[in-house]
Amino acid sequence: MKKNSQTGLDSTTKAKLSRLATAVMLWLNLLFLNSCAETKYVPDGAYLLDKVKVEVDGDYPDISSSTLNSYVRQRNNVRWFSLVKLPLLTYSLSGHDSTRWVNRMLRSIGERPVLFDSLQAAQTMDDLQLMLFNRGYLDGRVEVWTRSKGKKLSAIYRLFPGRPYLLGQVNYVIGDSAIARELQLDNPGNRQLATGQQFRVDLLDQERKRITEKLNNRGYYRFHKEFIRFEADTVGKDHQVDVTLLLSKSQKADGTDTLHTRYKVRRVNFLSGSSTDSTIHLRTNVLNESNYIKEGGYYSSSDLQNTYNHFARLGAVKYTNIQFTEVPDSALLDCTIQLQTNKPSTLSFQPEGTNTAGDLGAAATLSYQNRNLFRGAENLAIELRGAYEAIKGLEGYSNQNFMEYSIETKLQFPRFIAPFIGYETRRSMNATSEVSLLYDLQNRPEFHRRLLSASWRYRWTPENRQFQYQIDLLDLNYVFMPWISDTFQRLYLDDASSRNAILSYNYKDLFITKTGFGFSYNNGTTALKTSIETSGNVLDLATSIFGAKQNEQGQNLIFNIAYAQYVKGDIDLTHKLQFDYSNQLVLHVGLGIAYPYDNSTLLPFEKRYFSGGANSVRGWSVRELGPGKFKGHDGRIDFINQTGDMKLDLNVEYRTHLFWKLDGALFVDAGNIWTLRAYDDQPGGQFTLKDFPSQLAASYGLGFRFNFDYFIVRFDLGMKAVNPAYEDDNDEHFPIVHPRLSRDFAFHFAVGLPF
């Protein structure tokens, strides 16, 4: 190899350095062009607001940097994924001639450059200064620092809170003697303000709101928060504020002071809100159960709100209007509850096209709904569905079509229908009781399948609407196979060389009796869903007491049908980290474990886990990943073999707003499914702690979401990164290093966010 006598570098090294230098120069040129494009429409003497930041001098736990951004009046142009100002660059691509359609289009989908405005900066400083004052930092100050480079400017708002002020003496002066006796504020335990607390305006507002609500709930119909004011004194105090709460009397028409009136409800009347029909189509006991405003009782604003809430959750009620009228020369109120009911019955028809792995078909659904079946806001829904699909690629079957017909009936009661639940408990919860029946008929070329299902469940939400609960008291499912084709029986169920243990279990008659409990929590930042269910225990107890026949596999039978016995638990946790108004990071963990025992060695197909797809590890299509390092070989039956008893999903997704209704996402997914037992049909699929890390699949990708407020249309493009189906020394084990689009790419279309 020839070397240069002056530099000592061979020709290959020189060529690599040349290519590197070329790449660096190209990158620098792109940065320069990008910087020039951003300031294309920035006039002379003005600055593009490049960055905005809010900082706090010191450690103040009660001042969060994330909340401070909401006080900033002028934000910089949107950065996609916090990196590139693509909307601004799109706008900058337009020419100066506004009569050309291409320029108008680029400007409409792009974003106009944000020019630094000193007036808005001053207003932002005033808002931040007021925020510090309201939080007790009366000596705090705010400064704005600006740094410019060319036509770009960065603005940094820096807060210097200083030492907070504390409450000194706290006095309550109540001008109304009756209210003073009602509140009993002489007792410190009945106060929310106390010496030594940090002075905060919101604490004063909370105390004023608390007293107002308490009085409104105890009959003081005309009392409002303007009757309460505060006086603060800092004279001669060392970072202390003496506060006096003043509650004034009411006033007569002539301006003289008087005691506040405490009102009682004389009568409650129900009226129809319809001008054409004066009848209220609800039973009297339903009206009374939803009404918290009682005749002879004191007026209460919480009773008023509870009445609104309970009528609002009745599907039969369209709107509610409640009015109070004062009885002249008395402390009495007449209440009128005006109800407008919905049309009781609706009928709808919904056609749809289907595409299952390339097999095209059509389906149609006819739905009937009655929102007031027994004049108690009971919701009856009946759904008839039919589907047809032309199946390609099947050989040896007399028929090549798939047909499905189903009828489902649901009846919901807007209350608890159960013994041993008290009247007040039923009223305090937003609850529904539901009974449902389903019959589903499926005729495939390989087999005919029938499903008969019946269930009874409860759902309820306490007054804190962040929590929801569900109890599946009883969920019965009878799966039976009236016909299996000779070809399918010969190829998969009778052939000893076929992987048929899981197949045969799922093509036999089966009885599933499920009981379960579910819980969910969502505060807008953190969402948690958990559930646990079990099946077969009651039947197992009955067969052990009274005896039962057994089949060839040793399973106990009920009515000559084997029943499933298992326990299953799931937990799903999502947490959002909001960076700014257009960027957030979402973390998600999903874990599920199911264990068959006693009368079952396998889980029913409907209860088994699968991985891949739009809501899991998105480098794989649905039901194409796992279990463990198992690799499917027969696409006709792998949808059954690639299932498991345990599932783990780990997802990280960076979401950003792009422009108009379009959002973007970058994601990394990891996970897999496993079996808890070793099955010959799923080699490498059993979970072990030793092999667990090496059997985690991983993928990465890019997503686009059209956010239409009421629903989200999602497109996710995933690529495999780590494929546990192949050994470490195989190139296919690390597709991220050896990518191949035809092998590693998966496209997903879905409605709604993945988690």
Side-chain angles (χ1 to χ4, degrees):
M1 185 176 291
K2 187 176 180 180
K3 293 187 178 180
N4 186 290
S5 59
Q6 294 180 350
T7 62
L9 298 176
D10 58 59
S11 58
T12 303
T13 304
K14 288 180 63 178
K16 291 182 178 179
L17 290 174
S18 177
R19 288 196 296 270
L20 177 61
T22 302
V24 171
M25 290 300 298
L26 179 61
W27 181 70
L28 291 174
N29 287 331
L30 288 175
L31 285 179
F32 175 75
L33 292 174
N34 174 65
S35 178
C36 293
E38 288 182 354
T39 58
K40 176 180 178 180
Y41 285 103
V42 177
D44 293 337
Y47 292 96
L48 174 72
L49 185 58
D50 187 49
K51 294 180 181 178
V52 179
K53 192 174 182 181
V54 184
E55 298 178 346
V56 182
D57 183 61
D59 184 19
Y60 295 89
D62 60 326
I63 302 178
S64 171
S65 298
S66 59
T67 60
L68 294 178
N69 291 323
S70 62
Y71 293 93
V72 177
R73 298 208 174 201
Q74 192 180 32
R75 298 186 176 95
N76 53 273
N77 289 94
V78 172
R79 295 177 185 267
W80 283 19
F81 303 107
S82 298
L83 296 173
V84 184
K85 300 177 184 177
L86 196 56
L88 173 59
L89 294 175
T90 304
Y91 185 95
S92 300
L93 289 175
S94 65
H96 293 277
D97 187 358
S98 60
T99 62
R100 299 184 61 185
W101 71 269
V102 64
N103 293 332
R104 295 196 303 270
M105 180 194 68
L106 289 172
R107 293 188 181 190
S108 64
I109 65 176
E111 185 181 30
R112 183 187 299 273
V114 178
L115 304 181
F116 175 73
D117 187 337
S118 58
L119 177 59
Q120 294 197 57
Q123 291 174 336
T124 298
M125 293 175 62
D126 291 341
D127 292 343
L128 291 170
Q129 183 79 51
L130 180 61
M131 181 275 298
L132 289 177
F133 182 88
N134 289 339
R135 297 193 179 194
Y137 299 97
L138 306 187
D139 300 330
R141 71 182 195 278
V142 180
E143 297 179 0
V144 59
W145 299 346
T146 59
R147 291 196 296 263
S148 60
K149 185 177 181 181
K151 286 190 173 184
K152 293 184 178 180
L153 180 144
S154 297
I156 301 176
Y157 297 94
R158 192 157 184 84
L159 280 64
F160 299 88
R163 181 181 167 189
Y165 278 69
L166 306 179
L167 291 180
Q169 293 184 2
V170 180
N171 299 309
Y172 286 74
V173 178
I174 311 301
D176 188 311
S177 57
I179 288 181
R181 290 192 299 271
E182 185 72 32
L183 297 177
Q184 297 181 0
L185 293 175
D186 292 337
N187 182 356
N190 295 329
R191 304 181 180 189
Q192 296 297 315
L193 301 178
T195 300
Q197 292 178 328
Q198 184 169 329
F199 173 79
R200 293 172 60 107
V201 172
D202 61 338
L203 288 179
L204 305 185
D205 289 339
Q206 290 173 15
E207 178 68 342
R208 184 165 72 163
K209 181 180 178 181
R210 183 189 71 86
I211 293 175
T212 301
E213 289 181 350
K214 188 171 185 178
L215 293 175
N216 287 158
N217 289 330
R218 298 196 177 185
Y220 291 92
Y221 169 66
R222 290 200 165 276
F223 190 90
H224 49 78
K225 63 181 182 180
E226 280 70 24
F227 285 110
I228 300 175
R229 61 186 178 89
F230 290 93
E231 290 183 352
D233 181 15
T234 60
V235 177
K237 306 293 181 180
D238 181 19
H239 285 81
Q240 284 192 340
V241 183
D242 291 343
V243 173
T244 302
L245 181 147
L246 302 170
L247 191 153
S248 59
K249 292 182 179 180
S250 181
Q251 287 188 336
K252 297 180 180 179
D254 59 5
T256 58
D257 290 342
T258 184
L259 298 180
H260 291 273
T261 303
R262 191 180 186 193
Y263 290 87
K264 283 188 174 183
V265 178
R266 185 176 69 169
R267 65 170 61 97
V268 178
N269 299 315
F270 289 95
L271 292 179
S272 171
S274 174
S275 59
T276 59
D277 186 1
S278 61
T279 305
I280 301 177
H281 301 281
L282 290 169
R283 298 194 308 271
T284 302
N285 66 314
V286 175
L287 297 176
N288 292 335
E289 189 170 297
S290 300
N291 173 34
Y292 281 71
I293 304 168
K294 298 304 179 185
E295 295 180 354
Y298 285 107
Y299 166 83
S300 170
S301 60
S302 63
D303 289 348
L304 172 63
Q305 189 59 52
N306 281 332
T307 302
Y308 270 118
N309 293 340
H310 277 69
F311 278 113
R313 68 184 180 87
L314 300 181
V317 177
K318 187 175 183 179
Y319 76 83
T320 306
N321 183 30
I322 303 175
Q323 294 182 339
F324 289 91
T325 304
E326 294 185 48
V327 179
D329 301 324
S330 71
L332 299 175
L333 298 172
D334 285 340
C335 175
T336 301
I337 302 177
Q338 189 176 28
L339 301 174
Q340 173 70 55
T341 55
N342 286 307
K343 292 182 179 180
S345 301
T346 59
L347 188 66
S348 62
F349 177 77
Q350 180 180 354
E352 61 182 290
T354 62
N355 185 346
T356 306
D359 296 333
L360 301 179
T365 302
L366 180 65
S367 302
Y368 168 79
Q369 187 176 34
N370 189 314
R371 299 185 181 90
N372 197 21
L373 183 63
F374 305 122
R375 296 182 65 240
E378 299 86 1
N379 191 346
L380 172 68
I382 301 175
E383 184 175 282
L384 300 173
R385 187 177 188 274
Y388 170 85
E389 199 169 87
I391 300 178
K392 299 178 297 182
L394 285 179
E395 298 180 1
Y397 295 94
S398 59
N399 187 9
Q400 299 293 311
N401 300 321
F402 165 71
M403 292 184 294
E404 181 180 12
Y405 305 96
S406 67
I407 178 171
E408 183 176 17
T409 301
K410 291 183 179 180
L411 178 59
Q412 286 186 342
F413 300 87
R415 62 191 71 88
F416 275 116
I417 305 296
F420 314 117
I421 296 180
Y423 178 75
E424 291 302 325
T425 301
R426 293 200 305 269
R427 282 162 52 91
S428 64
M429 295 184 180
N430 183 356
T432 60
S433 304
E434 178 186 294
V435 59
S436 64
L437 295 171
L438 168 68
Y439 179 73
D440 184 76
L441 179 151
Q442 300 175 12
N443 287 346
R444 290 185 58 89
E446 310 98 313
F447 54 83
H448 291 175
R449 185 175 184 268
R450 308 289 184 262
L451 171 64
L452 181 62
S453 175
S455 65
W456 179 269
R457 62 176 55 93
Y458 299 101
R459 298 186 183 93
W460 73 95
T461 302
E463 292 183 2
N464 184 345
R465 296 180 178 273
Q466 295 177 344
F467 297 89
Q468 290 185 342
Y469 303 88
Q470 175 174 318
I471 290 181
D472 292 308
L473 188 63
L474 188 61
D475 191 337
L476 306 177
N477 293 272
Y478 174 39
V479 182
F480 59 104
M481 311 291 296
W483 176 80
I484 298 177
S485 70
D486 294 336
T487 302
F488 190 80
Q489 185 79 31
R490 183 180 70 257
L491 292 177
Y492 298 110
L493 303 185
D494 293 340
D495 186 1
S497 63
S498 174
R499 304 181 307 276
N500 58 22
I502 300 176
L503 277 172
S504 60
Y505 181 77
N506 288 281
Y507 290 94
K508 292 182 178 180
D509 296 350
L510 187 64
F511 201 34
I512 305 172
T513 59
K514 185 187 81 170
T515 300
F517 173 78
F519 162 79
S520 65
Y521 167 81
N522 192 336
N523 64 0
T525 300
T526 301
L528 173 66
K529 294 181 180 179
T530 63
S531 65
I532 185 169
E533 65 181 71
T534 184
S535 175
N537 295 328
V538 175
L539 295 180
D540 192 62
L541 178 63
T543 55
S544 63
I545 295 176
F546 301 104
K549 296 181 180 179
Q550 293 185 340
N551 59 17
E552 297 176 355
Q553 288 75 35
Q555 293 177 295
N556 294 328
L557 304 178
I558 293 290
F559 306 116
N560 291 323
I561 303 169
Y563 56 87
Q565 194 168 5
Y566 65 87
V567 61
K568 181 180 181 181
D570 294 274
I571 183 169
D572 191 277
L573 177 64
T574 302
H575 183 69
K576 299 177 183 178
L577 300 173
Q578 193 75 37
F579 298 135
D580 53 43
Y581 60 98
S582 62
N583 293 279
Q584 66 175 200
L585 185 69
V586 184
L587 310 175
H588 171 257
V589 177
L591 175 65
I593 301 177
Y595 183 72
Y597 59 94
D598 285 357
N599 214 50
S600 297
T601 57
L602 284 165
L603 284 172
F605 177 72
E606 292 80 1
K607 301 300 178 181
R608 295 175 70 83
Y609 296 102
F610 62 87
S611 192
N615 301 320
S616 184
V617 186
R618 283 165 280 186
W620 282 259
S621 296
V622 64
R623 299 182 187 274
E624 287 191 353
L625 173 60
K629 62 180 181 179
F630 172 80
K631 181 168 57 178
H633 298 282
D634 189 342
R636 293 171 294 181
I637 59 173
D638 281 339
F639 73 96
I640 286 182
N641 283 326
Q642 296 199 255
T643 58
D645 310 322
M646 175 181 175
K647 179 178 181 178
L648 175 65
D649 278 333
L650 303 170
N651 311 88
V652 178
E653 184 167 284
Y654 190 103
R655 297 172 183 170
T656 188
H657 175 68
L658 301 181
F659 58 86
W660 184 55
K661 299 289 186 180
L662 183 62
D663 297 335
L666 296 174
F667 58 82
V668 176
D669 303 323
N672 206 333
I673 55 172
W674 293 268
T675 61
L676 297 182
R677 298 178 180 179
Y679 299 107
D680 295 337
D681 309 329
Q682 298 170 306
Q686 186 180 19
F687 176 83
T688 62
L689 287 175
K690 180 184 70 173
D691 297 328
F692 163 69
S694 64
Q695 292 180 359
L696 275 177
S699 66
Y700 60 96
L702 173 68
F704 297 96
R705 292 85 193 273
F706 287 93
N707 190 342
F708 297 106
D709 296 332
Y710 293 104
F711 66 97
I712 295 175
V713 178
R714 173 164 57 97
F715 302 92
D716 283 340
L717 295 77
M719 286 287 292
K720 296 180 179 67
V722 179
N723 191 342
Y726 297 89
E727 300 298 330
D728 294 0
D729 55 355
N730 192 311
D731 288 349
E732 294 188 47
H733 182 75
F734 293 107
I736 191 171
V737 182
H738 308 280
R740 188 192 304 165
L741 195 64
S742 60
R743 179 195 66 196
D744 304 324
F745 175 75
F747 172 76
H748 305 284
F749 168 76
V751 176
L753 294 174
F755 39 80

